[in-house]
């Protein structure tokens, strides 16, 4: 891997930035760009050499397929050999937006882009700079998250610069992204749509449009030897260098897809809930004291509401427990901060409440290598 490419960095709003990105993509180059979920690392999806360059720049295993980003719905019919009615209904409901749809691929999509699969993942992002860049390039843009493989996905241009400067041709800086975790992936190749990766678009939101939706078994079963249908989901993603452990109250197990609780503080305010929060904090504080005594550097990932309960040199505030949006937006940045601090042991509260609880815990559990202590 040549790490000495002169990476051009331009603000999305700078004159000529988007057209320069488009020209770079047309030449088979690599451009990192903002989307509403996380930053993507784009290349011409129909050019096998360009796709191959993405894998090299990320250090990504070549069996892990890329998502093809489009700017107009008709592009789906160029890329997919069969588009079921339910897929069209989801596209109409959620595009542009954080939903990726898996469909059988047409021959024009090279296997370099699909990691050797006969299916293709397609998404229309809603970020205006992303849409403008795709349109101006007149291409379909293959783009994984713009991080080095195994690191948390980038949610700011600085994250991208840290990982990719010198490895790619250009970075479009669009500031901090809005959502902060990757798109929901739904497989539309079977009879019943199946969620392969949870995200901002929840199961309930999908079912509202197309009826019954299933979830890939590897996401719900705690036995981890089931092979996920999205090849990328099997890798230990998002992991900070230190050892991350989630400490969770046994009573407060998930309230998946419970959008009603998203903005409700009633749970949070009860005496019972306060005792639960204290018991988590007590356990975490004990673990920290123990590691500190052994000479290790520690960090805590906590909600704003609970931060004052901890006795630690590094308290990283993930957002407000009652608002999944704020946690999702900050989570990856905080995992990167753990590395910047050089934390050896990191303890996190569980953030399983509200509409985004599922997606957040899916990423956090991976970052923790599934290490959970229940108190
Ligand atoms: O929000 C997002 O989806 C971001 C932004 C940049 O759009 N992209 C992203 O890409 O998260 P990446 O490469 O980090 O994750 C793509 C996931 C991987 O888990 C991959 O295995 C899965 O999508 N995937 C891609 N094509 C697939 C296919 N044909 N069948 C099953 N899974 C697929
Ligand atoms: Mg990724």
């Amino acid at each position: 891997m040549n790490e000495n490419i002169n990476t051009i960095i331009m603000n999305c709003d700078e004159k000529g930035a988007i057209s320069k990105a488009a020209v770079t993509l047309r030449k088979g180059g690599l451009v990192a760009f903002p989307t509403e979920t996380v930053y993507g690392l784009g290349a011409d999806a129909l050019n096998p050499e360009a796709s191959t360059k993405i894998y090299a720049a990320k250090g990504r295993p070549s069996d892990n397929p890329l998502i093809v980003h489009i700017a107009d719905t008709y592009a789906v019919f160029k890329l997919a050999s069969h588009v079921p009615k339910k897929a069209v209904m989801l596209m109409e409901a959620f595009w542009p937006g954080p939903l990726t749809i898996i469909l059988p691929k047409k021959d024009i999509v090279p296997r370099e882009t699909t990691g050797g699969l006969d299916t293709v993942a397609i998404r229309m992002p809603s970020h205006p700079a992303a849409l403008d860049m795709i349109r101006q390039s007149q291409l379909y843009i293959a783009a994984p998250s713009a991080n080095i493989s195994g690191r948390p996905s980038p949610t700011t241009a600085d994250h991208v610069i840290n990982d990719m400067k010198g490895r790619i041709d250009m970075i479009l800086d669009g500031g901090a992204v809005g959502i902060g975790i990757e798109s929901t992936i739904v497989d539309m190749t079977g009879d019943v749509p199946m969620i392969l990766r949870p995200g901002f678009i929840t199961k309930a939101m999908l079912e509202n449009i197309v009826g019954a939706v299933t979830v890939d078994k590897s996401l719900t079963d705690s036995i981890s030897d089931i092979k996920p249908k999205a090849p990328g989901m099997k890798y230990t993603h998002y992991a900070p260098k230190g050892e991350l452990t989630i400490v969770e109250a046994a009573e407060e197990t998930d309230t998946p897809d419970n959008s009603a609780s998203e903005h409700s503080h009633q749970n949070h305010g009860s005496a019972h809930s306060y005792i639960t929060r204290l018991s988590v904090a007590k356990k975490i504080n004990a673990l920290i004291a123990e590691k500190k005594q052994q000479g290790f550097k520690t960090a805590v990932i906590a909600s704003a509401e609970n931060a004052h309960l901890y006795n630690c040199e590094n308290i990283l505030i993930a957002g407000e427990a009652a608002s999944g949006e704020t946690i999702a937006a900050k989570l990856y940045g905080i995992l990167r901060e753990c590395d910047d601090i050089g934390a050896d042991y990191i303890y996190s509260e569980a953030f399983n409440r509200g509409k985004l609880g599922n997606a957040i815990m899916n990423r956090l559990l991976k970052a923790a290598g599934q290490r959970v202590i229940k108190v």
Side-chain angles (χ1 to χ4, degrees), residues 301-325:
I301 303 176
S303 62
E305 293 94 320
N306 294 344
H308 68 281
L309 300 175
Y310 296 101
N311 192 354
C312 181
E313 53 197 317
N314 300 296
I315 299 172
L316 308 173
I317 298 178
E320 291 153 40
S323 158
E325 278 92 346

Side-chain angles (χ1 to χ4, degrees), residues 178-259:
I179 294 176
I181 54 176
E182 305 85 347
S183 61
T184 304
I185 301 179
V186 57
D187 184 348
M188 300 303 293
T189 62
D191 289 339
V192 182
M194 183 189 282
I195 294 174
L196 307 190
R197 180 173 73 181
F200 186 84
I201 308 286
T202 63
K203 184 166 180 276
M205 288 161 81
L206 296 170
E207 287 187 328
N208 203 18
I209 306 294
V210 292
V213 170
T214 56
V215 178
D216 184 7
K217 256 185 128 16
S218 75
L219 296 179
T220 49
D221 284 32
S222 45
I223 312 136
S224 57
D225 57 0
I226 299 171
K227 200 173 151 211
K229 285 196 76 185
M233 297 293 278
K234 72 174 177 271
Y235 298 106
T236 316
H237 263 88
Y238 325 114
K241 293 185 188 114
E243 185 183 289
L244 170 63
T245 304
I246 301 167
V247 179
E248 185 180 23
E251 300 91 340
E252 269 199 345
T253 39
D254 25 345
T255 52
D257 260 20
N258 183 359
S259 31

Side-chain angles (χ1 to χ4, degrees), residues 58 60 145 147 153 182 197 237:
K58 276 182 65 93
R60 177 174 174 122
S145 49
N147 51 287
S153 295
E182 305 85 347
R197 180 173 73 181
H237 263 88

